[in-house]
Amino acid sequence: MKNFLTTILASILLTGCINVAKISDFSLTSSSINFDNLSKEFKQTKTPFWTLKTSNEYYFEKETNTDETQLIEAIRNGLHSYYYAVAVISTENKCVIGKRGMMANEWSSITAVYYKISQNKTQVYLNTKITQDITGGWRENRAMKVGQWIEQTIK
């Protein structure tokens, strides 16, 4: 009986390691993001902050184009403000990916920021994946937190 309980307990504890967030889980280019669909959904909700039904995605757009250098700096600072280290930065692919290590109630977290700058608007999409233990983690949208920080910075 003791061996059975030990095995069950070990299995439960190890389930936190099964779904590990990795940079390879993310696309390294913004061309894989359908900004037109995201924009349609954003306009249908008519709210300044829009999130997908999942808890770790965020999208926003600005009606003016933004200087790419300033946008990248805002993304870097937004990621740093939430303790992410920039792991990937590609102006060619319009993508910035940040990674952070162990925090309270999570093993690691990766946030990818994709952007598209056109003549009349700037579109930004964030997606976060978290490696956490069996408790499920905090109930918060980490992509939204970083996204709102970026959005306020580029106003």
Side-chain angles (χ1 to χ4, degrees), residues 28-32 68 72 88-96 113-117:
L28 296 177
T29 178
S30 67
S31 63
S32 64
E68 186 173 24
I72 296 234
V88 174
I89 187 163
S90 174
T91 55
E92 182 180 321
N93 294 320
K94 313 291 188 218
C95 171
V96 179
V113 184
Y114 304 96
Y115 62 93
K116 180 180 176 183
I117 300 173

Side-chain angles (χ1 to χ4, degrees), residues 24-144:
S24 62
D25 294 340
F26 294 90
S27 171
L28 296 177
T29 178
S30 67
S31 63
S32 64
I33 307 301
N34 191 334
F35 286 99
D36 292 334
N37 279 351
L38 293 172
S39 182
K40 286 177 192 173
E41 290 185 41
F42 173 74
K43 289 177 180 173
Q44 287 174 357
T45 61
K46 296 184 182 173
T47 58
F49 302 117
W50 172 84
T51 57
L52 291 169
K53 292 181 176 84
T54 59
S55 64
N56 290 307
E57 296 177 275
Y58 186 72
Y59 171 83
F60 70 89
E61 64 183 49
K62 295 289 185 182
E63 291 302 319
T64 58
N65 69 353
T66 305
D67 178 64
E68 186 173 24
T69 304
Q70 291 175 339
L71 177 60
I72 296 234
E73 191 62 27
I75 292 169
R76 289 175 65 159
N77 290 334
L79 289 169
H80 287 158
S81 70
Y82 287 95
Y83 309 107
Y84 287 89
V86 175
V88 174
I89 187 163
S90 174
T91 55
E92 182 180 321
N93 294 320
K94 313 291 188 218
C95 171
V96 179
I97 298 177
K99 182 177 183 175
R100 73 178 185 192
M102 188 176 277
M103 303 277 288
N105 209 13
E106 76 181 49
W107 296 95
S108 68
S109 178
I110 298 174
T111 295
V113 184
Y114 304 96
Y115 62 93
K116 180 180 176 183
I117 300 173
S118 60
Q119 285 185 326
N120 58 352
K121 68 181 165 185
T122 300
Q123 299 170 289
V124 180
Y125 170 73
L126 295 91
N127 187 3
T128 299
K129 291 193 179 182
I130 304 162
T131 302
Q132 58 195 19
D133 59 20
I134 61 169
T135 63
W138 309 118
R139 300 291 180 228
E140 63 185 6
N141 185 336
R142 292 179 178 113
M144 183 173 73

Side-chain angles (χ1 to χ4, degrees), residues 143-155:
M144 183 173 73
K145 286 184 171 190
V146 175
Q148 287 176 341
W149 197 100
I150 296 167
E151 188 172 10
Q152 294 300 315
T153 302
I154 64 171
K155 276 192 172 181

